Amino acid sequence: MIRSTDGSAMPAITGFEETSAPGPRAGGIAARALGGGRPSPYLDKLNPEQRRAVETVDGPVLVLAGAGTGKTRVLTTRIAHILATGRARPGEILAVTFTNKAAREMKERISGLVGPSAEGMAWLGTFHAIGTRILRRHAELSGLRSDFTILDADDQIRLCKQIIQAEGLDDKRWPARQMHSLIDGWKNRGLTPDAVPLGEARAFANGRGADLYKAYQERLRVLNAVDFGDLLMEPIHIFRSHPDVLASYQERFRYMLVDEYQDTNVAQYLWLRLLAQGNRNLCVVGDDDQSIYGWRGAEVDNILRFEQDFPGAAVIRLERNYRSTGPILAAASHLIGHNEGRLGKTLFTEHEDHDAEKLTVASAWDSEEEARAIGEEIESLQRKGKSLDEMAILVRASFQMREFEDRFVTLGLPYRVIGGPRFYERREIRDALAYFRVIVQPADDLAFERIINTPKRAIGEVAVKTLHDTARARQIPLFQAAIELTQTEELKPKTRTALKDLLASFGRWRSELDRLTHTELAEIVLDESGYTEMWRMDRSADAPGRLENLKELVRAMDDFESMASFLEHISLVMDTENDAGSEAVTIMTLHAAKGLEFDTVFLPGWEEGLFPHQRAVDESGQAGLEEERRLAYVGLTRARQRIFVWFAVNRRVHGMWQSTVPSRFLDELPEAHVEVREQGGYGGYGGYGESRFDRVEPFSSTYSTPGWERAQRRKAGGAQRSREPMTIEGELVAKSVADHEPAFAIGARVFHQKFGNGTVSAVEGNKLTVDFDKAGRKRVLDSFVQKT
DNA sequence: ATATATCATGTTTTT
DNA sequence: CATGATATAT
């Protein structure tokens, strides 16, 4: 078996830790201790390419690190090397990651190499955490106070809604969600309101897109708040308008490192480039084949263009894979080879593994059977002594998870779901936090509005609207408006008393702020506000869980100094403590799996429309398809030893059964390394036993199946649509099936693969209601029936 | 103001 | 199907 050499934590270097006493110059001390021509022991563990990536310290470096080639090891060792050779102190290295988890891991591993001096790495963190740090220092240059609030997606959407309404627009026609994603997209690309391309700005709200964006920004300033995008945008703005500030950071950051560079967006790129213009000691590590966040603004171009942006950059390829068996690497490479526009890497392994398993491809009648079969496979592996911790099911979309959970619950098979709603995104947690936010920051209108009538206290829509009007007219925060309105007769008596009570409570809580510990106060607030009572009275199934979460929240607060520091922290670090717990199979999305590895990987749902996802192909055409393929590549390369790819011949989509077509990605796996499981399978690969369910053509001829052609047609249509401007006279064209010709008349006889023959009784767009001779009345998509 | 009915909607997700 | 958001009735 091939074990990743970077899979386990690196041992601390003996003889190194003792010499590296804590302190600002620990690196220097260590360097001296290591000096005199003594080899640096940490370098011995590296292969030649890795070593080059570590030792090429000065100037721009692009490290193209394929999956499982020791990317993290290179990054951490490089930092250790810089510290150990005394080139920089811990505080002079900028190291950026995308997730808090990655940052945490990196810090831990550096500690393992250089000892406690890693703690001094104040600038190791996510783009957003570092952006926040910079922005807090120079808040006034952005019209903010340094105690600004960071809004999350939920707050942002509510703010958008308020602005849409304030502008007198119909919030039905122009959904806040859409405005939010537009603004988000613009910020991802580093665009300020006046820089938004006209065409795009026009597409929203009758051409007022950019105005709304501007209004949104102004509103943020009034609230003394920023959104995630601002955490990058504002530092860029400060750097550009204050060269002295920029220069001080350029000087400070003697070495810069970026992880997962293929995931950077334009704003992050601009931010980095400004900082790197100083000494150009920028090292980026990434894998263009693992870029799967394009839909969120990541620009693969950033990595593809690095050499042009930083002339003279050293390019180092890490292709030696320590993770997977030959067949797995061959399959992954073959599949990704179908993409164009790659920098091109070929993974290889030096290990001869004669008994390496081929990939298994299998089919199920429907998704239920797929879950059942995978459950059986897992149990069988378990009987052979394999650990559940080393097995993962990687799905394309989270709705696929449920079927597995259901099945595993009945089997009593322990599983762990990664992803899903995070702890701090849950309703009860956000409500509780809103209370705390109002206490700490009375001007936090969004928080105040969230809980003004939660629990129900007779302050309804009308009252809130009055509050808003007053606040806007007088240019004061909602809370202030509330205070003033309780002095007048404008509100209904009942509402007025309720509001008065609430305000009085807040006054009381605020005065307790320094008398009590923040955890005590939190308990009092949740109690006195009636919030816990609300859930205790709630008879629904999830109420007890919510109460439990609230307790957990208070427990978590204990780790922080004060209420304010707690709030500061959670807006950036929104990840749940992952319960290590006991042995369990992991279920997660392919996206969430990036960076992880398992002995056994199950990849269910390889069907056209689901994977590649229809929407990715429709909305982004060829680029979308290639990103889906990279996702498949990520999935395959998570496995160390064995992979089971599955597809279901029938799948329930939005409640109705649809027959499916196997994913084109299946055809892109190399036959020599794939074993098609015939037993009990559907799909008749290789012309095997024809059954009455047989509609899936053999591998080689999938391209001629009606389904594949349909997919191609859809793709062509989709690509066309997305190339054309999305607007006609400033109006967004509905993305739906406007171009759909009603191909079926009422009374037409049709045939459906699952339900057999029937008569069309109603047509509604592309949805048909069909009375089937055997199966009764069903609603089906027209693309799944044929005229007879 | 709030409880209930009806309706549209439906990837991937960090910060 | 299942959820959330909005219209309607109480």
Side-chain angles (χ1 to χ4, degrees):
Chain A
M1 174 189 112
I2 304 161
R3 266 279 171 176
S4 158
T5 47
D6 73 350
S8 50
M10 272 194 241
I13 293 144
T14 23
F16 186 73
E17 245 180 332
E18 303 136 53
T19 52
S20 64
R25 291 247 56 141
I29 295 166
R32 252 170 282 140
L34 284 167
R38 204 179 123 200
S40 317
Y42 51 87
L43 292 178
D44 297 343
K45 309 220 170 207
L46 305 175
N47 67 37
E49 305 86 66
Q50 291 175 330
R51 187 157 174 161
R52 207 178 130 228
V54 167
E55 291 187 306
T56 312
V57 177
D58 295 303
V61 179
L62 168 63
V63 180
L64 291 169
T69 55
K71 169 188 72 126
T72 313
R73 160 165 292 212
V74 163
L75 270 175
T76 50
T77 312
R78 185 180 166 95
I79 291 173
H81 186 63
I82 290 169
L83 292 173
T85 52
R87 286 183 155 86
R89 286 177 288 184
E92 294 171 335
I93 299 174
L94 175 72
V96 205
T97 63
F98 273 85
T99 65
N100 292 302
K101 193 172 155 225
R104 223 178 305 131
E105 277 170 14
M106 198 180 290
K107 194 169 258 182
E108 269 166 32
R109 290 181 61 167
I110 296 169
S111 296
L113 288 172
V114 302
S117 72
E119 292 310 310
M121 291 202 57
W123 301 96
L124 187 166
T126 63
F127 274 104
H128 298 269
I130 291 168
T132 309
R133 204 180 153 95
I134 294 173
L135 191 53
R136 293 232 189 255
R137 293 185 160 195
H138 311 283
E140 72 289 346
L141 300 179
S142 279
L144 293 159
R145 281 180 277 118
S146 69
D147 62 344
F148 57 78
T149 318
I150 301 165
L151 304 184
D152 63 24
D154 209 77
D155 293 322
Q156 291 170 45
I157 291 168
R158 283 184 309 132
L159 189 58
C160 286
K161 190 162 188 169
Q162 284 178 20
I163 285 162
I164 289 166
Q165 285 167 347
E167 297 284 317
L169 290 159
D170 180 2
D171 59 349
K172 287 274 187 331
R173 205 162 136 66
W174 308 109
R177 293 193 69 80
Q178 197 185 341
M179 172 173 163
H180 167 245
S181 71
L182 269 174
I183 292 181
D184 217 51
W186 288 330
K187 289 190 175 180
N188 282 158
R189 285 152 57 199
L191 298 171
T192 51
D194 47 299
V196 174
L198 239 75
E200 287 181 49
R202 265 214 309 253
F204 193 79
N206 304 320
R208 300 175 58 193
D211 296 341
L212 291 180
Y213 180 13
K214 191 175 252 168
Y216 172 85
Q217 285 306 112
E218 282 163 6
R219 191 83 189 103
L220 282 178
R221 289 303 165 275
V222 172
L223 291 168
N224 189 35
V226 295
D227 62 18
F228 286 120
D230 287 343
L231 294 175
L232 292 164
M233 292 279 284
E234 292 304 327
I236 292 173
H237 179 242
I238 292 171
F239 290 160
R240 282 186 173 153
S241 50
H242 299 272
D244 53 316
V245 176
L246 175 61
S248 75
Y249 283 101
Q250 286 176 338
E251 219 165 295
R252 175 193 300 268
F253 300 138
R254 304 180 61 168
Y255 293 93
M256 288 167 277
L257 301 94
V258 186
D259 192 14
E260 306 277 17
Y261 189 66
Q262 77 281 352
D263 287 337
T264 50
N265 61 34
V266 173
Q268 287 157 341
Y269 164 80
L270 293 171
W271 185 90
L272 279 171
R273 210 179 52 172
L274 282 166
L275 289 170
Q277 265 162 8
N279 50 36
R280 304 198 346 128
N281 288 335
L282 173 66
C283 170
V284 303
V285 181
D287 181 357
D288 50 317
D289 291 333
Q290 291 189 66
S291 161
I292 54 174
Y293 285 106
W295 50 274
R296 183 167 101 179
E299 281 287 342
V300 210
D301 274 6
N302 287 349
I303 198 165
L304 300 176
R305 273 195 336 237
F306 187 82
E307 288 180 77
Q308 286 131 62
D309 288 334
F310 297 94
V315 179
I316 298 161
R317 287 186 152 74
L318 304 182
E319 298 175 307
R320 206 178 300 230
N321 178 290
Y322 295 94
R323 181 185 293 158
S324 313
T325 63
I328 291 172
L329 289 183
S333 303
H334 195 260
L335 176 114
I336 199 67
H338 290 78
N339 271 3
E340 288 167 19
R342 306 169 54 215
L343 286 171
K345 292 180 303 312
T346 309
L347 293 178
F348 65 91
T349 175
E350 289 177 342
H351 295 256
E352 295 280 328
D353 29 48
H354 300 291
D355 51 351
E357 296 173 39
K358 286 184 172 185
L359 280 74
T360 303
V361 172
S363 57
W365 169 243
D366 59 17
S367 49
E368 199 184 323
E369 192 199 288
E370 183 184 58
R372 217 190 61 228
I374 289 178
E376 274 165 20
E377 190 71 54
I378 289 171
E379 291 191 317
S380 138
L381 286 166
Q382 201 181 11
R383 278 193 296 275
K384 288 182 200 150
K386 313 287 184 199
S387 164
L388 293 180
D389 285 337
E390 285 304 338
M391 303 180 205
I393 299 168
L394 310 181
V395 298
R396 170 69 248 258
S398 42
F399 73 81
Q400 292 173 262
M401 293 179 178
R402 240 198 57 176
E403 209 111 38
F404 289 99
E405 291 194 61
D406 286 352
R407 184 64 198 157
F408 293 173
V409 167
T410 50
L411 285 177
L413 190 65
Y415 66 90
R416 165 169 45 224
V417 171
I418 309 281
R422 263 159 295 285
F423 185 68
Y424 291 107
E425 277 167 14
R426 297 182 184 180
R427 182 141 68 95
E428 64 278 17
I429 301 304
R430 296 186 46 81
D431 286 342
L433 291 175
Y435 273 99
F436 307 152
R437 276 164 61 182
V438 176
I439 293 169
V440 175
Q441 275 250 34
D444 193 334
D445 285 7
L446 291 160
F448 185 54
E449 198 184 334
R450 183 180 181 98
I451 46 82
I452 192 166
N453 200 30
T454 310
K456 301 258 184 288
R457 47 170 74 89
I459 304 170
E461 239 177 287
V462 217
V464 173
K465 192 174 182 313
T466 323
L467 242 50
H468 261 141
D469 292 344
T470 317
R472 200 167 324 126
R474 313 258 325 265
Q475 289 285 313
I476 52 173
L478 270 187
F479 196 90
Q480 190 60 36
I483 292 173
E484 299 192 4
L485 273 173
T486 52
Q487 329 265 315
T488 68
E489 302 289 322
E490 265 180 85
L491 295 171
K492 285 206 295 218
K494 196 160 54 161
T495 310
R496 196 177 135 192
T497 6
L499 187 56
K500 232 179 192 163
D501 283 351
L502 181 68
L503 294 174
S505 297
F506 270 112
R508 202 170 57 245
W509 297 327
R510 217 166 278 146
S511 69
E512 306 274 27
L513 203 49
D514 22 51
R515 201 175 4 240
L516 301 168
T517 67
H518 56 291
T519 31
E520 284 170 329
L521 179 61
E523 278 168 351
I524 288 173
V525 170
L526 293 178
D527 194 36
E528 290 186 359
S529 63
Y531 193 74
T532 39
E533 186 63 14
M534 178 180 105
W535 287 116
R536 219 172 291 136
M537 290 294 111
D538 194 308
R539 283 276 146 256
S540 58
D542 52 350
R546 293 185 193 268
L547 284 166
E548 203 41 55
N549 289 338
L550 288 170
K551 277 194 205 132
E552 179 57 38
L553 177 73
V554 177
R555 235 172 288 148
M557 288 176 78
D558 236 353
D559 299 339
F560 294 86
E561 294 270 300
S562 67
M563 186 76 89
S565 72
F566 174 68
L567 291 174
E568 148 92 43
H569 206 72
I570 56 143
S571 46
L572 279 178
V573 188
M574 293 277 264
D575 57 352
T576 324
E577 291 298 314
N578 38 340
D579 44 326
S582 49
E583 215 182 271
V585 185
T586 304
I587 306 174
M588 65 179 137
T589 63
L590 287 160
H591 282 93
K594 194 170 71 163
L596 304 177
E597 55 184 289
F598 301 89
D599 287 344
T600 307
V601 166
F602 294 91
L603 300 168
W606 282 41
E607 298 135 34
E608 283 296 309
L610 176 59
F611 193 36
H613 200 281
Q614 194 59 57
R615 217 159 136 176
V617 179
D618 280 350
E619 287 175 9
S620 315
Q622 188 63 24
L625 176 63
E626 295 210 344
E627 182 153 311
E628 295 286 294
R629 191 175 282 118
R630 290 193 291 267
L631 202 47
Y633 174 79
V634 166
L636 293 170
T637 52
R638 295 312 93 196
R640 295 195 195 99
Q641 292 169 16
R642 64 189 74 79
I643 295 177
F644 297 89
V645 183
W646 282 82
F647 67 92
V649 172
N650 291 284
R651 190 173 289 275
R652 196 162 34 187
V653 182
H654 306 326
M656 57 187 170
W657 284 97
Q658 289 184 184
S659 41
T660 65
V661 174
S663 171
R664 69 191 81 182
F665 296 154
L666 291 168
D667 301 325
E668 297 173 358
L669 298 172
E671 257 177 273
H673 299 289
V674 171
E675 190 157 296
V676 175
R677 182 179 289 182
E678 303 288 354
Q679 210 177 14
Y682 299 90
Y685 276 111
Y688 219 78
E690 303 252 314
S691 78
R692 68 193 164 91
F693 307 119
D694 240 353
R695 84 187 54 76
V696 180
E697 298 293 316
F699 256 172
S700 48
S701 56
T702 310
Y703 291 100
S704 56
T705 58
W708 203 84
E709 279 170 2
R710 197 158 54 233
Q712 288 298 293
R713 246 183 287 124
R714 276 198 218 125
K715 187 179 83 183
Q720 221 165 40
R721 264 203 300 279
S722 63
R723 253 202 312 279
E724 295 294 311
M726 293 277 280
T727 56
I728 293 173
E729 292 173 355
E731 300 280 305
L732 238 195
V733 177
K735 292 188 298 211
S736 63
V737 279
D739 55 307
H740 208 278
E741 73 284 12
F744 296 91
I746 291 174
R749 291 289 289 170
V750 294
F751 173 76
H752 185 276
Q753 296 288 359
K754 186 176 166 69
F755 302 121
N757 290 307
T759 310
V760 176
S761 66
V763 182
E764 220 185 295
N766 59 343
K767 294 190 199 74
L768 306 177
T769 306
V770 181
D771 290 319
F772 289 103
D773 304 342
K774 298 257 167 61
R777 176 170 288 200
K778 306 274 179 197
R779 300 238 298 165
V780 296
L781 286 183
D782 61 2
S783 48
F784 288 90
V785 299
Q786 292 144 25
K787 275 186 206 165
T788 54

